[in-house]
Amino acid sequence: MDLKVQMAGASAGSLAVATYNCGLEPEKATQALHEFASNCRSNGTRYRLGGLLRDFLHAYLPDDAHERCRGNTHVALTRLFPVVRSEMVSEFESKDDFINALLTSCHIPFYFNGSWMTEFRGKFYMDGGVAAFIPRPPTEYAVKVCCFPVNEVLATVQDRVAQYERVASLLDVSISPDAYEPWPFNYAKMVTWALVPADDDMLRYMINKGRRDARAWAQRMLLVPQDAAANLTGGEGAGDIGGGAERAAERVRQAQAQREAVAEGLGSNGDGTGLRGRTGDPSVAKVTSAGMQSCESGSGSER
């Protein structure tokens, strides 16, 4: 029986779906993540991200990666000419061709290698997320996953676009960092982490969080009978990889407390002061420093 899942991804999401469908062991993928992040923190990412990513993909993906992912891994690209539009690639001639497709999907203009576009199969493209932020595979049903905290933002607009079926379907994100529990770091902070890798403790925490969020979705969909029998919810029972993640968890809790304190302060003062108006307060500065001094972790479909 072929258990390969039809998956689609853009940018870093393409790496996630490729890793899964290649059959790369989670432990090996985690090792690659930490080695990649350490290199980026030590040597920087601007203009060298593309070359470094190429080296890691060649080193960690199996030689038959293109065969394992052919037909079930849909890589989103943004084609530039004659008009900007999204394209999906799922047929690959060789491992090199497959890796080139992934690199094209990840091509952040200028930042990636100093060029604002890249050539793939004789045509010009850039980051797949530009034209298809959360692509979906050609299936009747897809579970959309996003590594950015979009749930809070989407909740404010979904009612207004519900009558527009096509638009509403684009906003149907099932799993995101703020979908099942509070998440104190905003979109801008997550983008920063996508460009400058977080420290290892935070990376381990985000891996654990991804497991909890996925388990929480499965529990909500009643896909884990043993969890339902044990009354487990909110991602309980997902397990974790340890190794310092608990230290990052404390920083996340402190950052969340700071966010809630700021929100409470703003809510109690009509003039918009409160804690935000007292950023010189040593206690506020301490919490902010402890909670925010960390710096990629990347599906259905996934971004």
Side-chain angles (χ1 to χ4, degrees), residues 157-169 171:
V157 299
Q158 281 178 325
D159 288 344
R160 283 176 281 172
V161 302
Q163 59 183 313
Y164 306 106
E165 183 176 347
R166 182 176 177 82
V167 176
S169 68
L171 303 180

Side-chain angles (χ1 to χ4, degrees), residues 29 55 60 65 102 140 143 189 196 239 288:
D55 290 343
Y60 278 93
L102 296 174
E140 182 178 356
V143 179
K189 182 64 176 177
V196 181
T288 302

Side-chain angles (χ1 to χ4, degrees), residues 125-136:
Y125 298 87
M126 66 167 57
D127 191 295
V130 173
F133 188 64
I134 306 179
R136 59 171 296 161

Side-chain angles (χ1 to χ4, degrees), residues 21-299:
N21 275 341
C22 273
L24 196 65
E25 300 86 352
E27 295 77 13
K28 195 169 184 179
T30 300
Q31 176 187 344
L33 170 67
H34 285 295
E35 289 181 6
F36 186 86
S38 177
N39 189 303
C40 288
R41 288 193 296 263
S42 299
N43 304 301
T45 55
R46 188 185 299 272
Y47 305 148
R48 63 182 297 269
L49 187 60
L52 183 62
L53 183 56
R54 182 184 295 277
D55 290 343
F56 268 77
L57 291 174
H58 274 291
Y60 278 93
L61 295 186
D63 291 339
D64 62 346
H66 58 295
E67 297 174 355
R68 298 188 187 195
C69 292
R70 184 179 294 141
N72 57 59
T73 303
H74 305 268
V75 180
L77 315 174
T78 297
R79 186 170 172 180
L80 298 177
F81 306 105
V83 294
V84 176
R85 67 179 186 273
S86 177
E87 287 188 0
M88 300 275 268
V89 180
S90 60
E91 296 295 327
F92 314 103
E93 299 175 357
S94 63
K95 181 179 179 180
D96 281 345
D97 184 56
F98 180 44
I99 290 176
N100 285 337
L102 296 174
L103 293 171
T104 300
S105 186
C106 294
H107 188 96
I108 305 169
F110 293 110
Y111 196 92
F112 198 65
N113 63 2
S115 174
W116 75 280
M117 62 181 177
T118 187
E119 186 175 359
F120 176 66
R121 296 180 181 175
K123 300 179 179 64
F124 291 96
Y125 298 87
M126 66 167 57
D127 191 295
V130 173
F133 188 64
I134 306 179
R136 59 171 296 161
T139 55
E140 182 178 356
Y141 178 77
V143 179
K144 293 185 178 180
V145 181
C146 184
C147 65
F148 295 108
V150 298
N151 192 68
E152 184 176 327
V153 175
L154 295 182
T156 65
V157 299
Q158 281 178 325
D159 288 344
R160 283 176 281 172
V161 302
Q163 59 183 313
Y164 306 106
E165 183 176 347
R166 182 176 177 82
V167 176
S169 68
L170 296 175
L171 303 180
D172 184 20
V173 177
S174 298
I175 302 173
S176 68
D178 60 342
Y180 299 100
E181 61 185 23
W183 182 244
F185 305 117
N186 61 21
Y187 192 101
K189 182 64 176 177
M190 298 295 284
V191 169
T192 299
W193 283 346
L195 299 176
V196 181
D199 59 78
D200 284 344
D201 285 355
M202 185 59 72
L203 290 179
R204 292 188 181 96
Y205 177 85
M206 288 193 282
I207 291 172
N208 289 342
K209 176 167 174 54
R211 292 182 175 185
R212 288 198 309 274
D213 291 341
R215 188 69 167 244
W217 171 82
Q219 290 167 343
R220 177 177 291 185
M221 300 298 291
L222 303 179
L223 297 176
V224 195
Q226 64 270 29
D227 284 7
N231 293 318
L232 297 181
T233 60
E236 293 176 293
D240 61 63
I241 62 173
E246 67 281 353
R247 292 191 292 268
E250 179 58 29
R251 287 155 49 194
V252 172
R253 284 191 289 270
Q254 292 177 342
Q256 180 62 28
Q258 164 67 2
R259 183 181 184 186
E260 292 172 356
V262 170
E264 182 179 349
L266 290 176
S268 62
N269 295 283
D271 60 357
T273 55
L275 287 181
R276 182 172 293 177
R278 297 187 287 110
T279 52
D281 188 328
S283 62
V284 174
K286 181 178 180 181
V287 173
T288 302
S289 175
M292 302 297 282
Q293 63 169 331
S294 53
C295 281
E296 154 178 7
S297 115
S299 328

